[in-house]
Amino acid sequence: MNVRNYCKFEILSLPENISFARACVGAFASQLGCTIDEIEEVKLVVSEAVSNCIIHAYENRTNEIITIVISLLDDRTLEIIIEDYGKGIEDIDSVLQPTYSSEPNRMGLGFTFMKSFMDDMEVLSKPGEGTSVQLKRSFLTKDNEAYA
Amino acid sequence: MDVELRQVRNTLIVRVEGELDMLVADKMRSDIDKKMDNNEIKNLILNMEKVSFIDSSGLGVILGRYKKISSKNGRMYIVGARPQVEKILYFSGINKLVSMCRNEQDVINLQGR
């Protein structure tokens, strides 16, 4: 599938950068002509993924790097890759269970939101090396097939 | 992000403004808890009319305050959530724990019954 547009940026693992990251991805994804509701869902997904990097991968250290790659593909598909170089996930299956949380008073909904609002989610992780979350969503509908 | 706290009898009214993510979740949690711990608070009204975004960090703060309030046999209300925020609240199931109301007057009417 051809890449129509592409953007890659890095942020420090500061909580201030979560809103920056979701706003950037939302603005870039809007080139696909999706609705405001759809953009809001994409922003939520990015917020969850970047928060996970800060809280879990880097255990709230603020001087680490998070990489965000956004691709707009030919058939109105959005692909987002969010990568950290933190502690990694030992048991991906258990982390992906709904309401799993390593901390009380967190709802464990991060990955559930990502799975629910995207068509496809893949989590690649190596303990001690980091995690890459790859998310895809197509905005192709019968009405706008002409775009593809 | 602004958090305004006001106490009316044993009810704490919290008016939040802005985007409720991890950056503001900690401050909001400690602001509310400080007020709740130092005063005779039984019920909590969270006014979300001016909240434009919420993610699971924000939901975590709401869930935690709900647990605290219900341990005092109090009630918690969420007021005025915008459609995009309301959708996430329903998705998380928080609407089953906390009463969802249109505005603060609705809560007062509900409490009066």
Side-chain angles (χ1 to χ4, degrees):
Chain A
M1 211 181 295
N2 286 324
V3 175
R4 189 168 278 229
N5 202 350
Y6 170 88
C7 168
K8 179 177 177 178
F9 61 100
E10 289 182 339
I11 50 172
L12 271 187
S13 52
L14 285 162
E16 288 86 333
N17 287 336
I18 302 173
S19 63
F20 172 77
R22 67 173 175 260
C24 275
V25 177
F28 199 71
S30 69
Q31 292 177 17
L32 291 174
C34 19
T35 65
I36 291 170
D37 277 357
E38 289 167 339
I39 294 288
E40 284 301 315
E41 290 172 4
V42 167
K43 285 165 77 176
L44 173 66
V45 161
V46 172
S47 206
E48 299 299 343
V50 174
S51 300
N52 273 351
C53 298
I54 296 175
I55 301 167
H56 302 294
Y58 294 135
E59 296 169 312
N60 295 306
R61 292 192 304 277
T62 55
N63 56 347
E64 307 278 356
I65 294 288
I66 299 166
T67 307
I68 296 160
V69 184
I70 323 161
S71 304
L72 310 183
L73 308 178
D74 253 352
D75 60 346
R76 291 191 84 220
T77 297
L78 168 70
E79 189 183 77
I80 310 167
I81 299 173
I82 296 175
E83 258 172 357
D84 67 65
Y85 314 95
K87 73 170 183 184
I89 303 167
E90 293 276 355
D91 180 358
I92 292 177
D93 286 342
S94 70
V95 164
L96 295 183
Q97 293 302 310
T99 73
Y100 168 89
S101 180
S102 54
E103 291 167 50
N105 287 335
R106 296 197 59 83
M107 293 193 79
L109 285 173
F111 279 122
T112 307
F113 282 142
M114 290 183 232
K115 256 191 282 186
S116 304
F117 292 129
M118 300 300 276
D119 298 328
D120 192 45
M121 177 181 83
E122 208 173 330
V123 182
L124 308 170
S125 190
K126 257 194 185 164
E129 286 183 27
T131 301
S132 167
V133 178
Q134 310 190 354
L135 301 151
K136 256 188 193 179
R137 175 157 169 187
S138 167
F139 297 99
L140 194 65
T141 62
K142 279 213 157 48
D143 295 336
N144 56 41
E145 266 169 9
Y147 179 97
Chain B
M1 177 83 187
D2 266 335
V3 182
E4 181 197 316
L5 303 170
R6 197 159 70 94
Q7 187 176 349
V8 179
R9 289 186 292 278
N10 63 355
T11 298
L12 180 64
I13 303 172
V14 183
R15 294 188 184 129
V16 194
E17 191 175 335
E19 299 191 313
L20 226 181
D21 67 5
M22 187 187 146
L23 178 65
V24 293
D26 287 342
K27 182 186 181 299
M28 187 178 153
R29 181 185 294 115
S30 65
D31 282 2
I32 296 176
D33 284 1
K34 223 185 287 166
K35 190 89 178 165
M36 266 170 60
D37 295 343
N38 296 335
N39 297 279
E40 284 299 307
I41 302 289
K42 201 173 169 209
N43 304 307
L44 181 70
I45 300 174
L46 181 60
N47 187 326
M48 298 185 76
E49 276 166 17
K50 292 183 178 163
V51 174
S52 55
F53 175 88
I54 188 166
D55 66 10
S56 63
S57 297
L59 293 170
V61 176
I62 298 178
L63 179 73
R65 289 338 93 205
Y66 164 76
K67 284 183 182 165
K68 250 181 127 148
I69 283 290
S70 46
S71 74
K72 297 178 174 192
N73 293 318
R75 292 202 63 178
M76 184 166 168
Y77 307 85
I78 290 178
V79 158
R82 295 179 191 179
Q84 70 266 33
V85 169
E86 195 176 45
K87 180 170 85 174
I88 303 305
L89 294 172
Y90 275 78
F91 192 99
S92 70
I94 271 184
N95 60 303
K96 291 178 193 148
L97 307 171
V98 176
S99 308
M100 309 285 284
C101 295
R102 267 180 315 164
N103 50 48
E104 290 177 16
Q105 188 57 46
D106 276 8
V107 180
I108 294 161
N109 295 344
L110 210 63
Q111 284 181 320
R113 264 190 247 155

